[in-house]
Amino acid sequence: MNMPAQASRKAQSSQKIRVGALQWHIRTQGSGPVCLLIHGTGASVHSWDKLAPLLAAHYTVVMIDLPGHADTVTPADADLTLQGMAAALFEFIEHENLHPELIVGHSAGAAIMLELCLEHPHCAKKLACINAAVIPLGGLAGYLFLPLARLSAASAWMPRFFSFRARNDSNVKKLLDSTGSVVDPESFRRYAELFSDPAHVSGVLRMMANWHLEKLNARLGQIQQPVKLIAASDDKTIPLRDIYKLRQLLPAEQVKVYVVNGGGHLLHEEDPSSVARIILDTVAP
């Protein structure tokens, strides 16, 4: 079921679409009902290069660069809170009259997806989360995360510093290794490009500085759509215990957990076939 990344991109249509103050970068592929793919923090539409063609046999797959990320042009005063990004995404969906049947969110993209569906319950019929970053960080990491992110986002030189360090491939490798994933050379090059772009880094830091999950967690019992929680056993970013905590917060009759042996946080890049089979209901629960 795998397809080379370059062949996948050739089959995709890339567009820039302005909605309000944002100029969204999207890629589309396939035909049929709409499946919207929402990437995680620091990534871009490229992260779906291997999964998208497997879903495109059944759906019109719409991939979108989040505000502050990659090729979506974002004003400096854009609202990059969880609520603001979900609201902007809904404006885009309404503008394009998409009516997704399925939304798939990876990592922080899963949190944005859940916020979107809580505010607009009829926005999609089915949801799938891949290594969902929805449970707030605990312990010392949770205590330090927001202050450090805010300090970094407020500094004019910090994005340039991070992007300068990303020009060294060994630093990019360390960052990707910390996720528990090994990506192919094409994806590695794209991550290196993103991390060495000060505008992208600045957007990521602004997003992280405004990232509050407590209100979302308190409302998760109101989710109306069936949700698939897909997790990788070797994810070094989101531990399995957080996925099971998330399951407890969602309506019991609406949620199923699928654990894929092996693979790290970027599971959809490493093992797209397993992820596609779960999403497309071709494996047993």
Side-chain angles (χ1 to χ4, degrees):
M1 295 178 72
N2 288 326
M3 179 181 292
Q6 290 181 338
S8 169
R9 279 196 300 278
K10 288 179 182 177
Q12 298 172 6
S13 171
S14 184
Q15 294 177 273
K16 289 286 189 73
I17 299 174
R18 179 167 290 282
V19 182
L22 292 170
Q23 187 176 25
W24 297 88
H25 172 243
I26 72 165
R27 286 183 186 160
T28 57
Q29 186 175 4
S31 61
V34 171
C35 169
L36 177 64
L37 305 183
I38 307 174
H39 67 72
T41 308
S44 77
V45 293
H46 91 276
S47 68
W48 303 111
D49 279 345
K50 291 185 177 180
L51 180 61
L54 305 182
L55 301 180
H58 306 268
Y59 292 98
T60 298
V61 179
V62 179
M63 297 154 274
I64 187 165
D65 282 339
L66 286 173
H69 287 64
D71 295 318
T72 287
V73 181
T74 308
D77 61 351
D79 184 355
L80 299 188
T81 63
L82 172 60
Q83 294 76 19
M85 296 177 82
L89 188 55
F90 181 70
E91 287 183 24
F92 171 81
I93 290 170
E94 287 284 283
H95 184 272
E96 294 300 296
N97 197 28
L98 289 183
H99 305 294
E101 178 171 303
L102 168 67
I103 304 179
V104 180
H106 170 247
S107 191
I112 294 170
M113 174 186 73
L114 292 168
E115 176 71 24
L116 170 68
C117 290
L118 283 168
E119 289 298 314
H120 308 281
H122 302 295
C123 186
K125 296 180 180 178
K126 298 181 292 184
L127 308 178
C129 303
I130 305 170
N131 292 329
V134 178
I135 302 299
L137 288 172
L140 182 62
Y143 180 77
L144 294 175
F145 174 80
L146 277 177
L148 288 174
R150 287 172 182 150
L151 180 64
S152 298
S155 170
W157 62 268
M158 192 67 77
R160 293 195 296 271
F161 172 73
F162 284 137
S163 61
F164 175 78
R165 284 182 55 81
R167 296 175 190 174
N168 185 329
D169 282 356
S170 66
N171 291 326
V172 177
K173 186 177 185 303
K174 288 177 184 177
L175 183 58
L176 292 174
D177 286 348
S178 71
T179 69
S181 288
V182 178
V183 300
D184 64 30
E186 184 72 17
S187 183
F188 182 93
R189 283 193 293 272
R190 181 55 179 150
Y191 279 116
E193 290 173 358
L194 291 171
F195 299 155
S196 62
D197 178 0
H200 174 83
V201 174
S202 177
V204 171
L205 291 174
R206 287 166 56 203
M207 175 183 174
M208 293 169 63
N210 291 285
W211 204 243
H212 300 276
L213 295 167
E214 290 77 12
K215 289 183 179 179
L216 170 64
N217 277 236
R219 302 168 62 207
L220 287 174
Q222 302 171 30
I223 285 288
Q224 298 180 15
Q225 295 88 347
V227 183
K228 293 181 178 180
L229 299 180
I230 305 170
S233 64
D234 297 335
D235 187 346
K236 294 182 180 179
T237 303
I238 305 298
L240 278 176
R241 65 175 178 273
D242 282 3
I243 303 302
Y244 288 109
K245 286 180 183 177
L246 176 56
R247 180 182 68 175
Q248 296 301 314
L249 294 175
L250 292 163
E253 68 279 6
Q254 296 288 81
V255 62
K256 291 182 180 179
V257 176
Y258 302 81
V259 179
V260 178
N261 289 327
H265 193 59
L266 304 175
L267 176 67
H268 55 302
E269 297 194 43
E270 294 179 288
D271 191 356
S273 296
S274 292
V275 174
R277 283 195 293 267
I278 293 169
I279 292 173
L280 297 173
D281 292 316
T282 56
V283 295

